[in-house]
């Protein structure tokens, strides 16, 4: 059999990776995915799968056109088997090469050459833009289509961003049509170059709009069948292994059984093709779903019995064949973090290989990163972590404890300590919770500080950590004496995962009680910020009271994290939103997310809304309602809202910054509003989608809502004629994360109000204001009942950041009359 020297096709560095991986796999077969450099050599290697002495799984999700799949023949005989030839034929149709190599990585046999990727073809910007011009493809599809200049300009800028691999920051006012402005260039780039584009959003609403409305339209306009896919995090999918364990242990869940949920889940599992939670015919509570959903911490990967039927793998394979992938910000950050941790930027990590990204709703990027890179401890998390190890119900023991008993040899005595130690860990955590409740008293959250009042909490954390360390050492010693391999029994690998989880719990516990500065690699053993730089960064530790007590550690500044994970590694980056600027300036937002001092071409654009706000919208402020800090404010606000809503005959969205104030107003006005035939809804009464559906369908309804409804709610036409903003949306300074960020800014010589609180509030106000005008023919009134917007000097910054409208500032009784005139024909 003819073969060549391996170094004639693969770089020396890549060959070393191959040799080491084969050695680590015990000289068994290993499958690699290689990427070619510009000289045609394989220079990047990903270990995709490990097998036995004669076979290895071929995982399509790791494969891209122009890649090379490499696997070794341990015997040194490089002749391809029939299976090899079949796989090479299958991959060859996708443009993927197939190499066989010996265990010493010295000789190579090329079964199939990869297709060399063609030279990139730029987008013809003017031709693409013609689709949006008069007599273009859109005008042929829609009788009353009108060209929007700002949309055309945005499309051109995004197309050029693809062509020159630049970063584009684009604020696109409501009505610009930013989705089509970025989808058309994205699809055209795929058509021209067969390179994948990822589109990241913050809300499910926008994802559904893209997939169900905008993407099908773009495909029709461009006459293409390019595949698109929505990729969700693995927790959205059923894990068959966990599900069957759940069924086996169902005596533990009689309350769930009584509700008939298990029966519904059983029927669904037998029929589902996707395993996607959204396809379930009933709502399953979080606790039950977490028992059966896929979980990266406990995924057995290659060693899982159900791997061939795995819904996550099925979804990832589907994504691997898609050229346009829609994700949320959290999943995007997960992928980029994994790549920085070592997966690299030349193959599959969480997502398939991509080099071009559109980030819509980019004003949420900082909060998404803050959430993603935070670490949390809770009672449910602790119990879940140890149930895989040991769980006893009546006379039955579950978890890998039984496996350890069977394979402990001379260490049986150590194994028998596990139940007691697990109980001690749970007890230690219970003591932590009790102390946290004492410290919180009537507060919802509290920053953990190095003060005497926290001494007992810190001691209890040390005890908790000691107990975790005890069980880790026991499991570590037991695992070293187990001679069985994961290939022989997957519980060996499960034991490794449990050890890693406990190590992660130890690390999180240490960092929760550490000084503020922690290196990124210290923070997490299981995979999030561990991949980041070793520089010391500031974090805040805090307690939160929800349904349960949670201990959380949060980064104070995510700008450096985003710079490392996002901006330095991708080619095309487009960040867009309707609300990125303060008085037309991007600087505040850019600083918060790390787009300062980046060595790459950055273009900033502000695309003005085509809506005629000066004719269609009136902004009013009642001058006689007391300041929000006044004890009588809520009483006066309630009376004003009741009167103005009755005057407008409903169709109002009322936005609060406090749920307690919302409830106080709701309880005060509910009876009088209902008597007038107006439906009154409040956030929390139903789930978000149901409440928005009711609100949109009943034009004589009002909705009282807080934080999440300031954005993402789309209620066009007669559904929404009035938005009432009850208070300027300043962040609460007592919130532990906000408080710590304020302290950090002040410590560095800045002004926390003008540098942070004010600009954050301006962006939030713009989001709330933007709920009113959703279509070109919409009109209505925005009422801001916080008179600081006209009485304080900083109020002008808010006003000058909003679109120019009709304005009317007067006493409440005059506003009622003005509202009636505006809404019912006397404009």
């Amino acid at each position: 059999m003819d073969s060549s020297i391996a170094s004639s096709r693969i770089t020396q560095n890549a060959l070393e990776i191959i040799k080491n991986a084969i050695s680590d796999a015990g000289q068994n077969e290993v499958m690699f995915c290689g990427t070619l450099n510009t000289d045609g050599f394989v220079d990047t290697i990903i270990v995709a799968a490990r097998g036995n002495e004669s076979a290895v799984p071929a995982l399509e999700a790791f494969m891209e056109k122009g890649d090379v799949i490499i696997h070794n023949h341990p015997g040194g005989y490089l002749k391809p088997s029939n299976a090899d030839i079949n796989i090479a034929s299958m991959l060859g149709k996708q443009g993927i090469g197939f190499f066989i190599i010996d265990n010493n990585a010295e000789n190579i046999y090329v079964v199939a050459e990869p297709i060399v990727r063609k030279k990139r073809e730029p987008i013809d910007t003017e031709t693409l833009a013609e689709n949006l011009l008069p007599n273009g493809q859109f005008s042929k599809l829609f009788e009353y289509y009108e060209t929007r200049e700002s949309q055309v300009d945005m499309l051109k800028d995004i197309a050029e961003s693809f062509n020159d691999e630049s970063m584009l920051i684009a604020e696109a006012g409501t009505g610009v049509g930013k989705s089509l402005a970025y989808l058309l260039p994205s699809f055209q780039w795929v058509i021209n170059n067969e390179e994948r584009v990822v589109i990241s959003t913050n809300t499910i609403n926008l994802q559904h709009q893209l997939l169900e409305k905008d993407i099908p339209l773009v495909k029709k306009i461009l006459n293409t069948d390019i595949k698109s896919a929505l990729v969700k995090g693995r927790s959205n999918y059923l894990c068959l292994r966990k599900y069957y364990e759940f069924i086996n242990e169902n005596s533990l869940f009689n309350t769930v059984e009584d509700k008939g949920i298990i029966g519904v889940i059983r029927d669904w599992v037998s029929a589902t093709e996707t395993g996607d939670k959204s396809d379930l015919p009933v709502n399953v509570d979080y606790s039950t779903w977490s028992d059966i959903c896929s979980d990266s911490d406990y995924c057995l990967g290659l060693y899982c019995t159900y791997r061939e039927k795995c819904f996550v793998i099925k979804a990832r394979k589907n994504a691997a064949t898609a050229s346009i992938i829609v994700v949320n910000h959290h999943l995007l950050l997960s992928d980029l973090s994994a790549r920085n941790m070592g997966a690299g930027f030349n193959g599959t990590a969480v997502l398939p290989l991509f080099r071009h990204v559109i980030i819509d709703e980019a004003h949420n990027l900082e909060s998404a990163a803050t959430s993603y890179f935070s670490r949390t401890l809770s009672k449910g998390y602790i119990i879940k972590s140890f149930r895989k190890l040991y769980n006893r119900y009546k006379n039955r023991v579950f978890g890998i404890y039984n496996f350890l008993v069977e394979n402990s040899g001379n260490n049986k005595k150590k194994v028998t300590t596990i139940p007691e130690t697990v109980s001690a860990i749970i007890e230690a955590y219970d003591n932590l919770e009790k102390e946290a409740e004492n410290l919180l008293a009537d507060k919802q959250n509290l920053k953990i500080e190095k003060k005497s009042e926290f001494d007992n909490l810190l001691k209890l954390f040390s005890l908790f950590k000691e107990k975790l360390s005890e069980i880790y050492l026991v499991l570590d010693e037991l695992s070293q004496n187990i001679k069985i391999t994961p290939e022989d029994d997957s519980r060996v690998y499960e034991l490794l995962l449990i050890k890693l989880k406990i190590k992660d719990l130890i690390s999180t516990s240490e960092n929760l009680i550490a000084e503020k500065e922690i290196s990124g690699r210290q923070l997490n053993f299981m995979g999030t910020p561990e991949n980041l730089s070793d520089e010391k960064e500031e974090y805040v530790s805090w307690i939160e009271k929800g349904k349960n007590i949670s201990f959380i550690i949060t980064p104070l500044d995510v700008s450096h994290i985003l710079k490392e994970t996002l901006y330095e590694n991708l080619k095309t980056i487009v960040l867009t939103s309707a609300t990125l600027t303060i008085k037309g300036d991007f600087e505040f937002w850019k600083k918060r997310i790390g787009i300062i001092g980046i060595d790459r071409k950055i273009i900033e654009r502000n695309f003005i809304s085509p809506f005629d706000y000066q004719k269609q919208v009136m902004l009013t402020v009642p001058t006689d309602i007391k300041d929000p800090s006044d004890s009588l404010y809520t009483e006066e606000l309630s009376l004003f809202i009741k009167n103005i809503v009755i005057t407008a005959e409903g169709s109002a969205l009322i936005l609060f910054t406090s749920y307690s104030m919302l409830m106080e107003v709701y309880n005060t006005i509910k009876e009088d509003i209902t008597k007038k035939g107006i439906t009154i809804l409040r956030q929390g009464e139903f789930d978000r989608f149901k409440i928005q559906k009711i609100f949109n369908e009943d034009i004589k309804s009002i909705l009282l809502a807080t934080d999440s409804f300031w954005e993402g709610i789309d209620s066009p036409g007669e559904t929404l004629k009035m938005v009432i903003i009850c208070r300027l949306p300043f962040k609460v300074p007592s919130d532990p994360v906000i408080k710590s960020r304020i302290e950090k800014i002040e410590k560095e010589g800045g002004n926390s109000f003008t540098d942070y609180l004010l600009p954050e509030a301006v962006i939030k106000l713009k989001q709330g204001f933007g709920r009113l005008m959703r279509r070109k023919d919409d009109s209505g009134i925005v009422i801001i009942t916080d008179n600081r917007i006209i009485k304080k000097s900083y109020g002008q910054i808010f006003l000058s950041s909003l679109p120019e409208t009709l304005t009317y500032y007067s006493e409440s009784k005059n506003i009622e009359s003005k509202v009636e005139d505006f809404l019912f024909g006397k404009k």
Side-chain angles (χ1 to χ4, degrees):
M1 198 76 200
D2 291 336
S3 61
S4 303
I5 302 300
S7 59
S8 67
R9 303 301 300 263
I10 305 174
T11 64
Q12 199 58 47
N13 182 58
L15 286 172
E16 287 299 318
I17 294 172
I18 289 171
K19 282 194 288 187
N20 291 336
I22 292 170
S23 175
D24 291 342
Q27 304 299 315
N28 288 310
E29 286 201 24
V30 182
M31 190 192 84
F32 306 92
C33 178
T35 304
L36 302 184
N37 62 19
T38 53
D39 296 322
F41 281 77
V42 175
D43 70 338
T44 303
I45 289 289
I46 295 174
V47 179
R50 298 170 184 85
N52 55 33
E53 68 277 0
S54 60
V56 64
L59 307 180
E60 293 178 61
F62 283 87
M63 304 168 188
E64 296 285 332
K65 183 175 181 179
D67 285 346
V68 176
I69 297 306
I70 305 167
H71 85 284
N72 58 308
H73 279 186
Y77 184 55
L78 304 188
K79 179 181 178 180
S81 65
N82 289 336
D84 289 334
I85 292 172
N86 289 336
I87 292 170
S89 298
M90 176 193 72
L91 297 176
K93 293 174 183 177
Q94 303 173 47
I96 298 167
F98 191 84
F99 296 176
I100 301 173
I101 199 165
D102 62 13
N103 275 18
N104 294 321
E106 294 175 352
N107 299 303
I108 191 170
Y109 185 82
V110 177
V111 182
E113 293 282 0
I115 288 180
V116 178
R117 290 172 179 152
K118 65 179 182 179
K119 186 178 180 181
R120 286 195 178 95
E121 180 186 340
I123 297 171
D124 185 333
T125 302
E126 296 299 326
T127 300
L128 186 64
E130 286 175 3
N131 289 294
L132 299 175
L133 298 178
N135 301 316
Q137 290 300 312
F138 277 87
S139 66
K140 293 174 184 176
L141 283 178
F142 302 102
E143 184 179 354
Y144 300 105
Y145 176 77
E146 292 182 13
T147 295
R148 287 170 277 186
E149 287 186 22
S150 52
Q151 186 182 45
V152 175
D153 291 341
M154 186 175 180
L155 176 147
K156 289 180 178 179
D157 278 340
I158 292 173
E160 288 305 324
S161 183
F162 276 98
N163 289 342
D164 60 18
E165 298 182 354
S166 62
M167 177 187 289
L168 173 67
I169 301 169
E171 180 172 270
T174 308
V176 167
K178 56 184 168 60
S179 300
L180 293 177
Y182 61 66
L183 284 174
L184 281 163
S186 297
F187 270 85
Q188 192 62 57
W189 185 260
V190 174
I191 291 168
N192 289 4
N193 299 290
E194 299 180 359
E195 291 183 343
R196 184 176 288 111
V197 178
V198 168
I199 297 168
S200 181
T201 79
N202 191 62
T203 62
I204 294 172
N205 280 357
L206 181 53
Q207 290 181 347
H208 284 304
Q209 177 192 316
L210 292 173
L211 287 157
E212 295 167 13
K213 178 185 173 186
D214 296 337
I215 286 176
L217 181 57
V218 167
K219 289 169 75 170
K220 187 173 183 179
I221 292 295
L222 297 179
N223 190 27
T224 180
D225 61 355
I226 283 171
K227 183 177 176 180
S228 59
L230 171 63
V231 179
K232 301 180 180 181
R234 64 166 58 240
S235 63
N236 288 280
Y237 298 98
L238 178 82
C239 171
L240 288 168
R241 180 177 68 88
K242 288 176 66 178
Y243 165 73
Y244 286 115
E245 287 177 358
F246 174 86
I247 293 299
N248 185 45
E249 300 175 21
N250 68 58
S251 59
L252 298 173
F253 303 98
N254 289 328
T255 54
V256 178
E257 182 76 75
D258 292 343
K259 295 176 185 175
I261 296 297
I262 285 185
V264 174
I265 293 173
R266 274 200 184 104
D267 292 341
W268 174 70
V269 171
S270 66
T272 181
E273 293 289 325
T274 65
D276 189 335
K277 181 186 177 185
S278 64
D279 294 336
L280 261 168
V282 293
N283 287 326
V284 177
D285 64 89
Y286 172 80
S287 176
T288 303
W289 181 251
S290 68
D291 284 325
I292 60 175
C293 71
S294 182
D295 180 349
S296 60
D297 290 353
Y298 294 109
C299 177
L300 297 184
L302 294 172
Y303 308 113
C304 182
T305 308
Y306 301 98
R307 183 173 180 81
E308 294 302 315
K309 298 178 180 179
C310 177
F311 292 116
V312 172
I313 290 178
K314 191 181 292 187
R316 297 285 159 83
K317 282 186 176 181
N318 181 56
T321 61
S323 297
I324 300 288
I325 292 181
V326 180
V327 301
N328 64 23
H329 295 343
H330 193 278
L331 195 61
L332 175 68
L333 290 165
S334 176
D335 177 86
L336 294 172
S337 182
R339 294 183 187 281
N340 253 44
M341 189 170 62
F345 285 80
N346 291 299
T348 295
V350 177
L351 299 173
L353 169 67
F354 69 97
R355 291 299 187 123
H356 311 277
V357 65
I358 310 288
I359 300 177
D360 201 345
E361 300 179 312
H363 63 282
N364 284 304
L365 192 56
E366 181 187 17
S367 61
T370 300
S371 172
Y372 177 75
F373 290 108
S374 292
R375 302 292 294 125
T376 302
L377 286 182
S378 66
K379 179 70 173 287
Y381 186 74
I382 300 299
I383 291 174
K384 179 183 172 185
S385 297
F386 284 99
R387 268 178 48 191
K388 297 292 181 185
L389 173 61
Y390 175 83
N391 188 29
R392 187 179 186 88
Y393 182 74
K394 294 184 179 178
N395 295 321
R396 298 172 68 189
V397 173
F398 303 96
I400 65 164
Y401 177 78
N402 295 323
F403 169 77
L404 293 174
V405 171
E406 294 164 10
N407 294 277
S408 59
N410 297 325
N411 289 307
K412 194 158 286 186
K413 193 171 182 181
K414 282 192 178 295
V415 177
T416 58
T417 66
I418 289 174
E420 185 179 340
T421 310
V422 169
S423 295
I425 289 167
I426 302 299
E427 183 182 349
Y429 190 84
D430 285 341
N431 291 333
L432 272 172
E433 275 196 333
K434 288 173 188 173
E435 179 63 21
E437 284 184 0
N438 292 334
L439 289 167
L440 281 164
D442 59 350
K443 303 185 193 76
Q444 290 300 113
N445 48 53
L446 182 67
K447 180 180 176 182
I448 299 173
E449 300 182 83
K450 293 285 184 180
K451 294 181 179 178
S452 58
E453 64 189 281
F454 292 96
D455 283 350
N456 193 41
L457 182 75
L458 300 181
K459 286 177 185 175
L460 289 170
F461 253 118
S462 295
L463 290 171
F464 176 63
K465 192 187 70 158
E466 283 176 20
K467 293 298 177 185
L468 290 171
S469 299
E470 278 181 33
I471 204 159
Y472 179 83
L473 292 172
V474 168
L475 295 178
D476 192 46
E477 184 176 341
L478 290 171
S479 64
Q480 289 178 33
N481 291 306
I482 291 174
K483 305 306 178 186
I484 303 171
T485 66
E487 288 83 5
D488 298 323
D489 193 320
S490 63
R491 289 175 294 180
V492 176
Y493 188 66
E494 194 168 354
L495 174 59
L496 171 64
L497 294 177
I498 289 169
K499 283 172 54 186
L500 287 171
K501 171 58 70 178
I502 295 170
K503 199 173 183 182
D504 178 48
L505 290 171
I506 293 168
S507 171
T508 303
S509 300
E510 285 175 345
N511 292 323
L512 275 162
I513 58 177
E515 296 295 336
K516 287 182 182 177
E517 291 191 347
I518 305 164
S519 75
R521 292 187 187 276
Q522 268 183 286
L523 184 59
N524 186 8
F525 286 91
M526 292 297 288
T528 45
E530 179 186 21
N531 56 297
L532 302 175
S533 68
D534 286 321
E535 293 180 10
K536 295 287 185 179
E537 301 296 343
E538 290 188 85
Y539 292 80
V540 57
S541 300
W542 52 292
I543 312 166
E544 182 177 63
K545 184 193 291 182
K547 289 183 179 179
N548 299 294
I549 299 289
S550 297
F551 299 94
I552 307 166
I553 180 167
T554 298
L556 292 186
D557 183 353
V558 296
S559 61
H560 73 286
I561 302 175
L562 289 171
K563 190 179 291 187
E564 285 189 35
T565 55
L566 177 57
Y567 313 132
E568 295 178 356
N569 296 298
L570 299 178
K571 293 177 180 176
T572 307
I573 303 175
V574 175
L575 300 118
T576 185
S577 167
T579 56
L580 297 178
T581 66
I582 312 295
K583 295 176 66 176
D585 192 319
F586 290 96
E587 286 307 301
F588 167 74
W589 176 77
K590 284 168 55 183
K591 184 177 180 182
R592 295 303 308 173
I593 66 163
I595 309 180
I596 301 290
I598 295 176
D599 185 21
R600 65 178 299 165
K601 183 179 179 182
I602 302 174
I603 300 165
E604 298 175 13
R605 294 284 188 267
N606 197 328
F607 300 102
I608 306 301
S609 170
F611 295 162
D612 192 347
Y613 283 92
Q614 288 182 301
K615 290 183 179 179
Q616 294 167 267
V617 177
M618 181 170 69
L619 173 65
T620 73
V621 180
T623 57
D624 56 334
I625 294 180
K626 289 186 168 52
D627 187 279
S629 61
D630 194 288
S631 60
L632 294 175
Y633 174 71
T634 306
E635 181 183 330
E636 293 187 359
L637 174 67
S638 299
L639 179 62
F640 175 78
I641 288 175
K642 182 189 74 172
N643 292 337
I644 207 76
V645 163
I646 291 171
T647 298
E649 299 178 3
S651 303
L653 173 64
I654 305 161
L655 297 173
F656 295 83
T657 58
S658 156
Y659 191 74
S660 60
M661 182 184 287
L662 180 156
M663 287 304 300
E664 192 172 342
V665 171
Y666 174 83
N667 290 327
T668 302
I669 70 174
K670 180 181 179 181
E671 186 177 346
D672 291 334
I673 293 295
T674 305
K675 283 179 181 177
K676 292 294 181 178
I678 297 169
T679 303
I680 181 168
L681 304 164
R682 63 171 175 81
Q683 185 175 349
E685 195 172 1
F686 310 106
D687 68 66
R688 180 188 174 95
F689 296 104
K690 183 176 180 180
I691 204 167
Q692 185 171 335
K693 186 175 186 289
I694 296 171
F695 179 63
N696 285 355
E697 291 176 353
D698 183 354
I699 64 171
K700 289 197 71 174
S701 66
I702 65 170
L703 171 58
L704 284 66
T706 57
D707 190 56
S708 64
F709 279 80
W710 283 69
E711 58 182 281
I713 181 170
D714 195 3
S715 303
E718 291 299 304
T719 293
L720 183 58
K721 296 182 292 187
M722 186 163 62
V723 174
I724 302 173
I725 296 172
C726 297
R727 192 167 187 164
L728 294 176
F730 288 107
K731 289 183 178 292
V732 182
S734 59
D735 177 278
V737 178
I738 305 305
K739 179 182 178 183
S740 296
R741 285 178 173 169
I742 287 171
E743 290 171 354
K744 184 175 188 291
I745 291 167
E746 298 285 351
K747 181 181 175 183
E748 293 171 353
N751 182 307
S752 59
F753 181 76
T754 57
D755 295 348
Y756 180 56
L757 293 173
L758 178 59
E760 283 277 359
V762 171
I763 287 175
K764 187 77 171 180
L765 183 74
K766 289 172 70 176
Q767 282 291 328
F769 180 94
R771 295 313 92 210
L772 181 67
M773 290 285 287
R774 309 306 300 169
R775 303 290 185 271
K776 189 174 182 180
D777 56 353
D778 284 349
S779 64
I781 298 166
V782 176
I783 303 174
I784 300 174
T785 59
D786 188 336
N787 62 33
R788 290 177 295 177
I789 199 166
I790 55 174
K791 290 186 176 179
K792 298 289 186 180
S793 58
Y794 59 74
Q796 189 55 40
I797 297 174
F798 283 101
L799 294 171
S800 59
S801 298
L802 298 174
E804 289 188 27
T805 66
L806 295 167
T807 56
Y808 186 70
Y809 311 146
S810 186
E811 295 181 353
S812 300
K813 61 182 179 180
N814 297 330
I815 287 178
E816 289 171 28
S817 174
K818 195 75 173 178
V819 165
E820 186 173 22
D821 290 346
F822 187 89
L823 292 179
F824 301 109
K826 298 181 181 179
K827 298 179 186 178

